Amino acid sequence: MDVKGILEKVREGKMSVEEAQKKFENLPYEDLGYAKLDLHRSLRSGFPETVFCEGKPDEYLAKIFETLYRENGEVLGTRASERQYQLVRALVPDITYDPVSRLLRAEKIQKEKTGLIAVCTGGTADIPVAEEAAQTAEFFRCRVERYYDVGVAGIHRLLSKRENIRRANCVIAVAGMEGALGTAVAGLVENPVIAVPTSVGYGASFHGLSALLTMINSCANGISVVNIDNGYGAAYLAAQINRLAEKH
Amino acid sequence: MDVKGILEKVREGKMSVEEAQKKFENLPYEDLGYAKLDLHRSLRSGFPETVFCEGKPDEYLAKIFETLYRENGEVLGTRASERQYQLVRALVPDITYDPVSRLLRAEKIQKEKTGLIAVCTGGTADIPVAEEAAQTAEFFRCRVERYYDVGVAGIHRLLSKRENIRRANCVIAVAGMEGALGTAVAGLVENPVIAVPTSVGYGASFHGLSALLTMINSCANGISVVNIDNGYGAAYLAAQINRLAEKH
Amino acid sequence: MDVKGILEKVREGKMSVEEAQKKFENLPYEDLGYAKLDLHRSLRSGFPETVFCEGKPDEYLAKIFETLYRENGEVLGTRASERQYQLVRALVPDITYDPVSRLLRAEKIQKEKTGLIAVCTGGTADIPVAEEAAQTAEFFRCRVERYYDVGVAGIHRLLSKRENIRRANCVIAVAGMEGALGTAVAGLVENPVIAVPTSVGYGASFHGLSALLTMINSCANGISVVNIDNGYGAAYLAAQINRLAEKH
Amino acid sequence: MDVKGILEKVREGKMSVEEAQKKFENLPYEDLGYAKLDLHRSLRSGFPETVFCEGKPDEYLAKIFETLYRENGEVLGTRASERQYQLVRALVPDITYDPVSRLLRAEKIQKEKTGLIAVCTGGTADIPVAEEAAQTAEFFRCRVERYYDVGVAGIHRLLSKRENIRRANCVIAVAGMEGALGTAVAGLVENPVIAVPTSVGYGASFHGLSALLTMINSCANGISVVNIDNGYGAAYLAAQINRLAEKH
Amino acid sequence: MDVKGILEKVREGKMSVEEAQKKFENLPYEDLGYAKLDLHRSLRSGFPETVFCEGKPDEYLAKIFETLYRENGEVLGTRASERQYQLVRALVPDITYDPVSRLLRAEKIQKEKTGLIAVCTGGTADIPVAEEAAQTAEFFRCRVERYYDVGVAGIHRLLSKRENIRRANCVIAVAGMEGALGTAVAGLVENPVIAVPTSVGYGASFHGLSALLTMINSCANGISVVNIDNGYGAAYLAAQINRLAEKH
Amino acid sequence: MDVKGILEKVREGKMSVEEAQKKFENLPYEDLGYAKLDLHRSLRSGFPETVFCEGKPDEYLAKIFETLYRENGEVLGTRASERQYQLVRALVPDITYDPVSRLLRAEKIQKEKTGLIAVCTGGTADIPVAEEAAQTAEFFRCRVERYYDVGVAGIHRLLSKRENIRRANCVIAVAGMEGALGTAVAGLVENPVIAVPTSVGYGASFHGLSALLTMINSCANGISVVNIDNGYGAAYLAAQINRLAEKH
Amino acid sequence: MDVKGILEKVREGKMSVEEAQKKFENLPYEDLGYAKLDLHRSLRSGFPETVFCEGKPDEYLAKIFETLYRENGEVLGTRASERQYQLVRALVPDITYDPVSRLLRAEKIQKEKTGLIAVCTGGTADIPVAEEAAQTAEFFRCRVERYYDVGVAGIHRLLSKRENIRRANCVIAVAGMEGALGTAVAGLVENPVIAVPTSVGYGASFHGLSALLTMINSCANGISVVNIDNGYGAAYLAAQINRLAEKH
Amino acid sequence: MDVKGILEKVREGKMSVEEAQKKFENLPYEDLGYAKLDLHRSLRSGFPETVFCEGKPDEYLAKIFETLYRENGEVLGTRASERQYQLVRALVPDITYDPVSRLLRAEKIQKEKTGLIAVCTGGTADIPVAEEAAQTAEFFRCRVERYYDVGVAGIHRLLSKRENIRRANCVIAVAGMEGALGTAVAGLVENPVIAVPTSVGYGASFHGLSALLTMINSCANGISVVNIDNGYGAAYLAAQINRLAEKH
């Protein structure tokens, strides 16, 4: 909100006090009644708003996608179901759906990808979360390399990829069960590591709590943690870091 | 380890097989018996190794500081007590101690600080953790701005500093109790936010667990979390991001 | 129970000892065998008894509604399913059902609404709990205003509604995930805030536990908490406060 | 912040754009560097700011009390130690200290007390928390009645006080161990009940967690919960409700 | 095992060493391969063995019932499903099934019931667990009285039944949500109270954990606790106490 | 309270309405201001009230002992410290103190002990809790036998005492660490077992939580649980059962 | 990796630097893109790699079995469903499926079994986990004896098998509910005991957490614990111990 | 207990029935009243009984050491304090004390050590627990090698010791914080790994719970877990395995 510009217009009589007063209240979002879409978000944060689909009522979902796609020229939905894909496709024919990552995606424009983010997983069962991260990062214009099934129980698999992973501006380490991948990766690279605990496991893994605690307690430097299974959140953060690294 | 270079020397007969074999085993750390100091760490990660002082036996502590200071020309110790300061000072007279952040620090060289990291706290009781973060980041050659006591319960205090905070390459949000500061900050800036839950609070705060859960569950974008009271860890990560942003 | 009146009647011989003895045992509820309906509750507490439908055996449910509706002229059921609606409708044709709030409701009388309660949500997924709160408060004769999707991650949305929310006698703040809405609202208004954690979220939200802890640990003044997803409980309390504020 | 007034001054040329811009940034708190005192708080919320003493650094504490007392003519500190009392008394000779409630308190003015708040405890060990609540409510100009040691294990003690307790605008129910007092009280009165779990107990009481869960899960109507041992928080809320009830 | 008798036979040459050795290994249970049925249990403990049906494989279940019924003349199964009832009925035609308590039951003999056990519940939703307790106690030859829906939120309902409940040798208090019934009952009677937490509730009741903690922390005397929803366990214990009280 | 008698007096004019009204409010406890002593408790429950000393303010403690001892002729205090013993001895010279069980005790009368309670422990570290139980039971006129250090890790030690333990009306099983003693004992006897988890242990014993969970989940019949370290509570319950068994 | 041999070849010119460099990167696993199969594992660890089937995508599963079976001549899959069995059978006709243990298994070779492992369970409901352990151990060439339903609540059943169990090189103790079997077994034998908590139970068993804590806190010597329901993990460890005991 | 031998003696008249009966009851422990010392334990389990000193009453401690040392010729005490050392030394002059491992130890005989156990730690702060393990194993006649400070955050330090560690019959992996060492070691060796979580860490490490969960959830094969900080327990188990491996 350009406070100074508005004030100058008021002083110069180009804008009435009432108009100005309104401006201060008029915030840059569209109110659909049921949801306040943040249309100017891509201006403010540099990334377009995405839609967390899980649990969204059917009647709202497609409309939200349509509005965002119309305004932004691109739209990304996370945690979508096959059924939600069908609903959205009726209004947004360009939409595509990836059942592994559960992402809905439409882009009018061809995007160039820059920088480098490495996405690693401890096992094959962590791939869905990793793909949510990887494809979201690509949607946010990052170049992505995938290193899957390189967990700590077979440490030589990770070590053989070390040089590649070190080149990334940021590494996303996705792991469930005991979740030690983040620490091992952070010990090998010099750029930030974002650890994503997954709910993969059984017994005392407590749906990802064990992996979350492991990662939060990591004794390695340069590692931080997002919520369990939150591949999207890791990708957003990685894209911010990648953008900072490539901005010049 | 320059594998190719060693192999070429072997082929050219400039290095014996035995010497080469040794090289592969000879890893870049100094073994003091009780601790394996990673002296080349500043080469590999770009940041010198620091010492987590809490619980370190007296007989080792001063020796570790002395070795690191001699080799690296600078040394940082975290979670140090007044008593440990006295111990270290006997061997490293240059050492200084800050009782708020509990940091021990000695630097032979004058360092230039670059970029910008903003350190925010929810309340005044979070300041010790925030200072650990701020001073560590400065040790790692980052320029730091402090915004203390800007918690969500008085949201106007945070909003009045918004433009300043937005300029930082990375924001460290330090908060205990309900820990909502991270989310509020992440909603205002476009660069990464590192949330540090603190053990400040009482009752059902469970020594920081409540703040940790709040931050991990943040619905804002661009936020990740480190361990409770881990100001050092946040600073390390922030310094990595700051370096990426300023590296060109 | 008018102890004095009964005693006077006994003294004056207008009531036998046996009758009086019975009175003291005769409490104002109807015993259906399986449930003790508190028919005079609206006299005692000022609000009619409501029915928590979830898990109630089919054979009891409709009978309870019928008895309460016959005696009180109005009845409210919470956490009802579509199937339970069909069961109740067979005996109470006036009953209506709202699938979002899952409320069953019948009122013979037209009620006037007074005072003001504001119901806010952090996101759109919190709306079902918020509607349970809002419609229950209306059933209890309160005027209600809704402010949905005003969470802390986009704090400007909340701030733009600030003046409206401040007018309420009581604010109900409904939020899941990190649950910081309660603190932010309590920092803006001068009347009581009732925080309702919701089970909205995933990963480490632990079905609302994280939001509950956040709210219980709030460092704002004037905030208290009810159970996870307990929109009804918040509304009851808000209606009590609203009644106190409007009683003169 | 009087937006309209400022804008009119700008239009009329009575205030420069720069001054107006500053006004929008100039929020009504005093920045001591280490703490942002909310001096106008009593205007905004109707209650003066209080000081949470536990863990406040010595060098700040007395200064904060002095500033608040000078500006507001009254000041209240919670969770103060005997030692802190000595520190504050050096700068604020009027200060008094109550070792049971651990409150520090100074009031230049004689306050009239209105309305009625009832403070109940389950046992005698809950009295310190109850006194924090009772005296804070009195500081906030409420009339208070105390009903101590009326726990559920001897329900006749509570019942004998029933009529007195029912007269209060708000009841604060303080209990540790199994914490059932809140539910029992809420079943007897028609006004709001604020339940305060205490850390009194041993074994599986887990420092108040058990009482907290009991109270949050209460099946009674009209009950909400604050943090463990948070007598101050309960009093603040009760004072808000009392003010609403007495405001006409 | 009559050690002396066997030894005397060995000495007198009436039993060979090998036979005696076997006797010491031959314990009084029938080994079905998949389950070791304790057929002499009714001799040893005074109560016949019962079958926990939940999760028992189909192929074993009916056979176990048949064996026990044949040997003991009576059999009780807990946590049985409708489907398991059908399975058992094929082999044991006398079996009956109660869908509320989920008990399977067959008795060849007419049993006399003695003593008195009172079974109370906090609400109507606790009735299934209470019926498991009540009917099991009846199976174990106890006279049982039921007092349902007498929870603490409407304490007058419990008080009006006080004299009846006091007559019981043992009271079983079944309650979910905040689980305060046990404490209230124990404050009213002089005989032992067995508290059964139920999984009834939602939100922070955590499937009965809250009620369990409440009951374990009860500040009343004469109360102990069994597992969540364990009506059977409470009944077994109550029957032991009832037997002790009536044994003369 | 003799309702009928009072009513008859009112009818006959022997008691005024006001007096009668008072009677109904006048409950049988003495109000010391800070604590409501239940002096008639020994009439009502059959056991005299005991004093939980831990945390009781010094100024109240001795007075409470004196009042109870004067009225009841006997008094028992639990969780007393050496220092509290000195305080009480000043007013109640007959008082004795046992540092292992931490019980304070004075009895004017010589009591006969009846029945039998067996107190078992898993290890030697559980003895303090076991002695609290054993001596409390003796105070409540039970005969007690002690079987210490008979834990499950050396099951032959328990088995060698089996016949003795089976003779008790009730067994108190005291164990920390993994807490399996309760189950093993319950499998050997036919009378009720009261399990007392202790806070003995380290690491993942979590101050008795592990033992508590073990005991609550016991698959043996006839076992119930009291709070961690609650030897007194177990003894109270055991004394009730012993009294029932011996009452004829 | 034969470092010396490669280096000698390089020196002698028999291998180019590039080839040698590759060797160091070429680790002994086959990369299927989605999973890195450790084909030489049986060489390195002595046991062939097994497949954790639960959650494996359909398209990968059969292919992984086929590859491992072709390379190793044997393959074992754990936690397989009936449906997965059908999928694998299409590519690996030799595969067999056991619905109790949920193991998929194919072996080209006839294996000799050596040593002895005893597998015990507390109850019949623990048999599925025990069978996963027993059959896995047999797959790893161990001789196995089963002792089922020998839980602590009927300790004589365990004692009667004592001599048999003592002969085993390693005992696997499988138990849910209170999980005391491990301690009892460890008190009877002199070889290692591996305790497997199971998720069998209800109420406060928390899906095996209670049993896990019991076993971790065991006061017996010679006992260690694997994850809840992890029969496979226990078998692997037992097979390692059995191999050590039989290796000469 | 030689059942057959005794029976034969009875048959042959060499032993009376009463004597035989006694034999069956006479279990091989010495009853000191307060503790049942298992003097024949070294015969039965092959290892002498050790004393857990923490919390043992002063009057018992020295006597227990004296008895065990006299009977067994060697004695080991764990978790001993300096003060306890002084107490024991008065009765057992041969006793030695190591303040790092907190072990008390006396051995009359010179023991030969066989086999090999490797003890690894993640950091230097884990050394006290590791030394408890290492010295206990040596007391149990095992040869021990120590590999300290080889945690996952600097994985090259562990890899450089790989060949040495692989030679051990059993590896004890001691680690706090995120506790990933166990998994990494188990991925490198073919013999059993016993993981010991330590309480080293801060914040969300929850006194070792995080490390415990990590280790229990390990996705590596051949790993099991003992209690937090339980170096003794790990050593006992490792000594059993070492003995099996070396027994031929």
Side-chain angles (χ1 to χ4, degrees), chain B residues 5 8 162 177 196-197 211:
Chain B
E8 281 171 347
R162 177 178 170 174
M177 290 179 162
V196 189

Side-chain angles (χ1 to χ4, degrees), chain G residues 188-221:
Chain G
L188 297 178
V189 305
E190 63 176 89
N191 282 329
V193 173
I194 303 165
V196 189
T198 72
S199 55
V200 169
Y202 61 92
S205 72
F206 299 124
H207 307 293
L209 177 59
S210 170
L212 170 58
L213 288 177
T214 302
M215 289 166 166
I216 278 287
N217 283 294
S218 176
C219 54
N221 289 316

